[in-house]
Amino acid sequence: MYRDLLTHLPVIVAVARRGGFALAAAELGMSPSAVSHAVRIVEERIGQPLFARTTRSVSLTEAGKALVETAAPALQDIAERMDRIRSVKGRPSGLLRINASNIAIPLAVTPVVAAMAERYPEVTVEVFADQGLVDIVGEGFDAGIRLGEMIAQDMVAVRLTPPFSVVIVASPAYIGRHGRPSSVADLANHNCIGYRLVRSGALYRWDLIEDGKDIAMETRGSVVVTDSLAAIDLALAGVGLAYVFEPLARADLAAGRLVQMLPQTAIEEPGLFLYFPRRASMAPKLRAFIDTAQEIGRASLRTPGRVA
């Protein structure tokens, strides 16, 4: 009875995931009118509205939520099975959607995607940069990349980088004008580049070690950013002190463009991990990403000075 509606279910799921008709249309490569038409057909056949629409938002009704909760996992399962079937005859293929923090992209995504472009040209990797944590299953991602401490315990986690430290850095020009901080307390006398957490809106307190104890230092300065790479650029420009993951600043530190401050205060982070729901672990496109990432990681460990 509802067989003719199956082709429209991906549209319903996309509208729910993206929270709007125009965004779903862009994702699916359809016109907004075609998306609206597909939604209308399903609503007419079911006899209930699936979305509550206003001029500013689109949200699921109870009927829509029930349909998406059933359809989304089924469509994901079908897509994964089709990818496995295709891989039997050849190579991994399909769209691999990854949600990654901004700092993970240069450290753990770019080298893997570059290698996969050569090895697995039939796999398209879509990388969504996101500063916060999202429900990767609910948002339609195959996997996420975050610091190990941020990953839910019900996810499969695969290490992508070794642990690394978080360092305070400044340019020689800044040091020449303002000197070096002599202690954690002395940071109050320096222009510290702030970092605002996108999700909460709070200013991040610098996690440091003082006298063997972990402390959270509230800093002040003339500029606040939401991206670690921007903090490094500002530090290079001599604006102030930046608090960043060491691998991001490694090349600048080695070249002398940046200098580490208060090295005894640096904490260590567990490193970056790829994580995904257990049922997705057999998807060939994801397996290809994991294998490539682990191979690159092993090679980087054998090559001193390279960012893992």
Side-chain angles (χ1 to χ4, degrees):
M1 178 179 178
Y2 296 108
R3 189 175 303 168
D4 58 328
L5 299 184
L6 293 179
T7 57
H8 301 307
L9 292 182
V11 178
I12 303 297
V13 172
V15 173
R17 181 173 62 248
R18 303 294 290 181
F21 285 60
L23 292 174
E27 177 183 314
L28 297 171
M30 301 169 62
S31 67
S33 60
V35 169
S36 296
H37 178 68
V39 172
R40 186 167 58 253
I41 288 175
V42 178
E43 289 180 328
E44 289 175 352
R45 290 295 304 277
I46 292 178
Q48 296 187 65
L50 300 176
F51 298 97
R53 306 167 178 84
T54 70
T55 56
R56 295 186 177 181
S57 65
V58 174
S59 59
L60 286 167
T61 63
E62 286 300 317
K65 183 178 180 180
L67 177 60
V68 169
E69 287 178 348
T70 300
L75 291 171
Q76 180 69 20
D77 185 59
I78 291 171
E80 291 174 0
R81 289 175 183 271
M82 291 299 294
D83 286 342
R84 285 199 290 269
I85 291 171
R86 283 195 294 267
S87 69
V88 170
K89 297 182 64 176
R91 299 157 64 82
S93 62
L95 175 64
L96 180 65
R97 300 185 75 237
I98 294 178
N99 185 291
S101 60
N102 284 23
I103 63 104
I105 293 175
L107 297 183
V109 176
T110 300
V112 179
V113 171
M116 287 191 64
E118 295 293 328
R119 300 177 186 181
Y120 308 106
E122 294 182 15
V123 176
T124 299
V125 183
E126 179 179 323
V127 182
F128 188 91
D130 194 335
Q131 296 292 70
L133 283 173
V134 300
D135 176 4
I136 60 170
V137 176
E139 294 292 327
F141 292 101
D142 296 288
I145 301 177
R146 292 293 186 280
L147 293 172
E149 63 192 17
M150 302 173 70
I151 299 172
Q153 293 184 353
D154 61 346
M155 291 284 174
V156 177
V158 177
R159 178 176 288 279
L160 296 181
T161 74
F164 45 72
S165 59
V166 190
V167 297
I168 302 172
V169 298
S171 70
Y174 177 88
I175 297 170
R177 294 194 306 270
H178 303 283
R180 298 168 178 255
S182 58
S183 65
V184 170
D186 196 26
L187 291 174
N189 300 318
H190 284 267
N191 193 29
C192 296
I193 299 166
Y195 183 84
R196 189 173 299 281
L197 300 171
V198 175
R199 294 281 174 171
S200 68
L203 283 174
Y204 184 77
R205 295 183 177 186
W206 292 7
D207 291 321
L208 303 169
I209 297 175
E210 184 178 39
D211 298 328
K213 298 180 181 179
D214 294 334
I215 62 171
M217 180 70 182
E218 186 173 333
T219 60
R220 291 181 295 177
S222 62
V223 62
V224 176
V225 300
T226 59
D227 183 86
S228 296
L229 296 178
I232 291 176
D233 287 341
L234 289 166
L236 288 167
V239 173
L241 307 181
Y243 178 85
V244 297
F245 295 119
E246 185 273 336
L248 293 175
R250 187 173 298 168
D252 293 314
L253 288 167
R257 293 185 292 268
L258 292 175
V259 180
Q260 184 177 356
M261 306 287 100
L262 303 174
Q264 73 278 9
T265 69
I267 66 166
E268 186 174 87
E269 292 286 1
L272 292 166
F273 290 75
L274 181 84
Y275 65 98
F276 48 89
R278 192 167 302 277
R279 63 174 176 77
S281 60
M282 293 301 293
K285 58 188 178 183
L286 184 57
R287 186 75 256 168
F289 187 95
I290 293 170
D291 291 344
T292 303
Q294 291 182 327
E295 180 181 331
I296 290 174
R298 288 191 295 269
S300 67
L301 290 175
R302 293 194 297 268
T303 307
R306 286 191 57 189
V307 174

